[in-house]
Each structure stands twice: as C-alpha cells, then as structure tokens.
Amino acid sequence: MTAPSKLFRTTAFRLSLLYLAVFGLAASLAIGYIYWNINILLSRQLDESIQTELSGLAAQYRSGGLRQLVRTIAKRSETPGNSLYYVADRQGHRIAGNLGSISPDLLKETGPVEFAYQRPAQGGMERRLAFANVFHLTGGTQLLVGRDIEDRRVLSRVTRSAMLWGLGLMALIGIGGGLLVSRNLLARIDAITDTSRSIMAGDLSGRIPRNRSGDELDRLSESLNQMLARIEQLMAGLREVSDNIAHDLKTPLTRLRNRVERALHDPQNDLGYRETLEKTIEEADDLIKTFNALLSIARMEAGAGTGRWESLDAAALIADVAELYEPVAEERGLVLRADAEDPLPILGDRQLLGQALANLVDNAIKHGRPDEANGGSDQAPDILIEAHRTGGGQKMNSNGAAHSAGGKGMEMAEIVVSDRGPGIPEADRERVLERFVRLEASRSAPGSGLGLSLVAAVARLHGGDLKLGDNGPGLKAVLTLPMDGAVEAPGITGGS
C-alpha cells in the first residue's frame, strides 16, 4: 500500500473529512440564514421608505393637483440620494423626475416592479438596478417612485462570493490539516506496529517510542511499555527459573537416585534400608518444599491470593512469629526479641505475610550467629524484630504500582529483622533476592535459595518492597508495607 493511500485510509483523515463536511454544512446554513434575513430586512425597509414617500406625494397631489406634485418631485430630484422619480403624461413623455428615460412598457405596469436603468458615472454611463412602484393618476398621468438597489445586488454578490471562497479555503485547510494529522498519527501507529512485529519476532527488549506529549497515544504507549517490561521480566524470570531448576534440582535428584541405587546393589540389614529410606524421604520433602516455594512465588507474581486479604495488625503478627521462633533461637544460643508499635494496621493476606516474616526470622537464625569479631560481646539482642510507621510520598495500589497521593506522604509500616552475623556484601544484596541464589558456593547449608525471593514476591503483591542493608555488623532486612487505608482494593500484581 502506497503512502498516500495509507493516509487516505486512516481513521484520522476520514474523521477530518467528516468534521469538515459537517462544519461546512453548518457554516453554509448559518450564512444562508443570515443572508436570507438581511434580504428580508432590506426589502421591508425599502417597501416602507417607498410607501412613506408615496404617502407624502399623495398628500401633495391632493392639495395642489398635478402642478404641486410636479413641483415637489422636481425639488426632491435635485437632492442627491437613492430616491428615483419619474412623472410622465398620457403619451409617456417625461414631465419631471431624476430618471432620464425608461422603457414605455414599464409605465404600463402597476404596483411594485424591478427594473434596470442608466445614469451618468465616471467614464460614461453605468447600468444599475432599481425597485419602484408605478401609479396611474387621473388624466392618464403616470407616476413612478423607487429606490436604487444596486448596492443590495452588490452585497448579495459579495456575500455569495465570500461564502464560496470561505468554504473553498475551509475545505483546503481542512483537507491539509487532516493529511497532516493523519500523517503524524500514521507515523506513530507505524512505530507501534514495527515494535509489535519485532517483539513477535522474539525481541522482547523493544519499546514503543513516545513523544512526551501526554496525549492518549502517549499514555497508551506508556502502558504498553510497562506491560512489555513486565512480560520481558517474567520471561527472563522463567528462563532463569528453568536454568536454576536444571542446576539446583539436578544435584539432589542425582544424589537421591544414587542413594537408592546403592541401597539396591549393596546388601544391608533392615536398619540400613530404613536409614536409606528416611534420608530419601527427607530429600524428597526438601524437593517438594522447593517446588512449593516456586509455585507460591509464581502464584503471587500472577496476582493470586488477593482474595484472602483482610485488615491485620503488624504488631500482633510480629509477636506471633517471635513467640513461634523464640525456642528455636534459644536452641541455637541466640536471643530473639520483638519490639513493635501497637497497633500497626495493614491490609493483606495473613498467611503470606506470616510466611514472609517467618522466612526472614528463619534466615536470621540460620545465618545470623554473632562472633567476637562481629560484636558478639555486645548487649544488643542477637536477632531483633522491629516494626514502626514511616512516611512516604506516593500511594500504592495492591499490585505494587505507585501513584500520587495528592502531594501528601502516606504512612507505611516498616518491619525490620536484624541480626549480628556476617551479613551480606553490598554488591550481593540485590542478587540474593533472585531465585536459587545462595552466596556459599559449596551450598553445604540447608536451603534452596528461595526464601528471600518469596519474601520479595509477597512484598510486591502487597504494594511494598524488601530492602537489605548493613546492621553494623550483621544484616538488616526491611520489609515495607502500606498501612491499611493507603492501599487500594486488591488487584492483579504488576511487580517488578
């Protein structure tokens, strides 16, 4: 399809033509109506002025007869203006008036009549249009009283010409504007089409260009780009999960298979077989936990779970988790303490938030044991769970998208789990939030590398985030969640 035909087939150009036709019709009707009313007004004024003059001449005729009438018309004919007079005898010869000569047939008419006449002008005689009334007086005398209406005819001609030229220019400008708008719109649509084709070809990094005008196409492009970024992220996550599953689950599956194969080939007593089966079940349970964690993360990133949202007290939730894990911490020789403002209302899924907080505490218990070099002699608790209010500048919805809250900072609830262990290097704090990332290369400690990923997914689902920082020494995990009333109705998560 050629470029001109593409322009002519665009919706913008068709709408421009439609608007032009509607506006042209409306303008024509408006001008025609005005012109018609002006004609009626001028005709009425013309009739009234002629009738008024006829009344005055009739009074002169009644009072002084033909002589008085002729004297009055002769006097009025000397005054410049548009008034026309002509008095003729029975044979049609001119007696008085400012008309030089008229057609004899005109004097035979009775009542209103429109005729052409000539009068002297620069460079010769000019032909003009007049309107008059003809009366037959007693004795065969004819009287014509009229007005020059050439200016009215010129006005009509100028009005018609202006209307035609105006409509023509309007059509020219309208078509040109329609082509210009269509070309601009077509260029933007072509850009969207080209980007879509490149994405369908496999290039998920393509984005629709924006012109920063803030119009509807710009807003649509922004929304589509956000959607494309989310799709690219999900696809990258899917590839990463596939690679991680192949890498991280291959080893335990191979170990499980080798253990069972060794038990089949090596004769053992009942106790040996039982020990092998118990280890196999334990490893299978770990694999099931890993798959369940992956499924939970996938469900949260897909927006599932928002149907169970309720109003919660973060302080009470922290107290429950601290009470649950306090004996576990004591077994490892750690001191766990909870300190939270009361109350801290938040809106969310109790089970998911409890699991996220439990993952943070469990991670601190496993990896947060202090030593003398890291401040083990300090009086501070080994593991501290805190919660408090904090301000923010944006209002979050349930899918993690932020928007303006009318310029006012909104309140957020910060849940902080800190330990006194070796911590995490700053360069690795973002990376450990990804799936299957474990900092120890040997991976000797139990775990799948999904705990912090699940916490980050829960935070995104609730419109918050998870940040890891330095506790000096140790790790500080900060889970930020919107307070109840600062988050909108639950919806499908967008995440990041």
Side-chain angles (χ1 to χ4, degrees):
M1 186 182 297
T2 62
S5 61
K6 287 176 68 177
L7 284 175
F8 295 145
R9 291 169 63 91
T10 58
T11 303
F13 184 74
R14 292 177 179 176
L15 286 177
S16 298
L17 289 184
L18 177 62
Y19 293 152
L20 176 62
V22 172
F23 185 76
L25 178 61
S28 299
L29 291 175
I31 295 174
Y33 179 76
I34 293 173
Y35 174 68
W36 178 66
N37 278 277
I38 289 175
N39 267 338
I40 291 177
L41 178 62
L42 292 177
S43 298
R44 184 180 299 130
Q45 290 178 343
L46 181 63
D47 288 339
E48 290 176 354
S49 63
I50 292 176
Q51 291 299 326
T52 301
E53 194 153 12
L54 283 173
S55 299
L57 292 175
Q60 294 291 329
Y61 180 74
R62 286 193 298 270
S63 63
L66 181 60
R67 186 187 297 263
Q68 180 68 23
L69 177 63
V70 170
R71 190 164 46 245
T72 302
I73 288 177
K75 185 177 180 180
R76 291 185 179 181
S77 297
E78 295 173 357
T79 304
N82 291 330
S83 297
L84 301 175
Y85 307 99
Y86 192 86
V87 181
D89 58 15
R90 184 188 297 271
Q91 287 75 29
H93 298 147
R94 177 176 173 272
I95 300 174
N98 54 5
L99 284 174
S101 63
I102 58 176
S103 171
D105 294 335
L106 180 61
L107 295 176
K108 297 178 182 179
E109 300 286 343
T110 301
V113 62
E114 192 173 286
F115 65 98
Y117 75 101
Q118 290 184 334
R119 74 176 184 183
Q122 252 183 339
M125 302 294 290
E126 65 173 348
R127 186 179 178 86
R128 298 179 68 86
L129 189 66
F131 179 81
N133 273 8
V134 180
F135 292 91
H136 297 274
L137 306 177
T138 57
T141 305
Q142 291 96 17
L143 171 64
L144 183 146
V145 179
R147 288 286 187 276
D148 186 301
I149 59 171
E150 182 65 25
D151 292 342
R152 211 172 101 184
R153 184 167 67 172
V154 172
L155 175 62
S156 299
R157 186 169 61 248
V158 169
T159 303
R160 288 194 298 269
S161 177
M163 184 171 66
L164 292 176
W165 277 102
L167 291 176
L169 288 174
M170 184 175 62
L172 184 63
I173 294 173
I175 293 175
L179 288 174
L180 182 63
V181 171
S182 301
R183 183 176 181 180
N184 181 40
L185 184 62
L186 185 61
R188 299 179 69 180
I189 296 298
D190 285 342
I192 295 176
T193 303
D194 293 339
T195 304
S196 302
R197 288 174 178 169
S198 66
I199 292 172
M200 287 188 292
D203 182 15
L204 295 179
S205 63
R207 296 295 181 269
I208 298 172
R210 297 172 53 202
N211 61 3
R212 306 294 177 180
S213 63
D215 59 7
E216 60 277 5
L217 282 180
D218 212 41
R219 295 195 298 271
L220 176 62
S221 300
E222 182 179 5
S223 299
L224 290 176
N225 286 339
Q226 291 176 354
M227 180 186 69
L228 292 173
R230 180 62 178 155
I231 292 175
E232 183 184 17
Q233 181 188 9
L234 291 176
M235 293 301 296
L238 181 62
R239 287 192 295 268
E240 181 184 352
V241 168
S242 301
D243 295 341
N244 289 332
I245 287 177
H247 181 270
D248 287 76
L249 298 185
K250 182 179 179 181
T251 300
L253 286 174
T254 303
R255 189 166 55 243
L256 187 148
R257 182 187 182 281
N258 291 339
R259 183 181 295 114
V260 174
E261 185 177 16
R262 189 168 53 251
L264 288 175
H265 289 105
D266 297 340
Q268 298 180 9
N269 54 25
D270 292 343
L271 184 61
Y273 283 122
R274 182 179 182 84
E275 182 180 354
T276 300
L277 288 175
E278 287 176 351
K279 290 182 178 180
T280 301
I281 292 174
E282 182 180 349
E283 192 120 24
D285 287 340
D286 290 338
L287 289 174
I288 291 173
K289 290 179 182 178
T290 300
F291 279 110
N292 286 337
L294 285 173
L295 288 174
S296 296
I297 295 173
R299 289 180 70 251
M300 282 184 284
E301 289 184 342
T306 56
R308 301 190 304 268
W309 282 29
E310 58 181 307
S311 183
L312 306 172
D313 183 6
L317 187 64
I318 289 172
D320 292 342
V321 174
E323 183 180 358
L324 178 65
Y325 277 89
E326 190 173 5
V328 180
E330 289 179 356
E331 288 181 4
R332 287 178 165 264
L334 299 173
V335 177
L336 187 150
R337 185 166 66 85
D339 182 13
E341 295 180 9
D342 192 14
L344 282 175
I346 58 176
L347 185 67
D349 187 309
R350 181 185 298 273
Q351 182 179 353
L352 292 179
L353 291 174
Q355 183 179 2
L357 185 56
N359 281 10
L360 292 178
V361 175
D362 183 69
N363 190 70
I365 292 175
K366 288 179 180 178
H367 307 288
R369 175 179 291 278
D371 53 30
E372 293 297 330
N374 288 335
S377 60
D378 292 349
Q379 298 299 318
D382 299 325
I383 300 173
L384 177 62
I385 311 174
E386 300 175 282
H388 54 268
R389 302 170 187 260
T390 183
Q394 289 180 318
K395 186 172 182 177
M396 310 291 291
N397 57 27
S398 59
N399 61 9
H403 59 83
S404 173
K408 297 181 180 179
M410 72 169 218
E411 284 191 314
M412 305 284 286
E414 274 192 355
I415 301 175
V416 183
V417 179
S418 54
D419 60 54
R420 309 289 287 174
I424 297 176
E426 184 176 358
D428 295 323
R429 289 173 189 164
E430 290 292 332
R431 191 169 64 89
V432 295
L433 299 181
E434 301 173 2
R435 298 181 182 94
F436 292 109
V437 174
R438 299 175 65 186
L439 296 183
E440 49 174 345
S442 63
R443 304 195 178 215
S444 57
S448 61
L450 294 172
L452 292 178
S453 299
L454 189 142
V455 177
V458 171
R460 288 194 298 267
L461 178 68
H462 289 78
D465 61 1
L466 173 66
K467 297 293 183 183
L468 302 179
D470 186 16
N471 194 37
L475 179 68
K476 178 184 291 186
V478 182
L479 177 61
T480 306
L481 300 169
M483 300 283 288
D484 191 4
V487 77
E488 295 178 354
I492 295 178
T493 182
S496 59

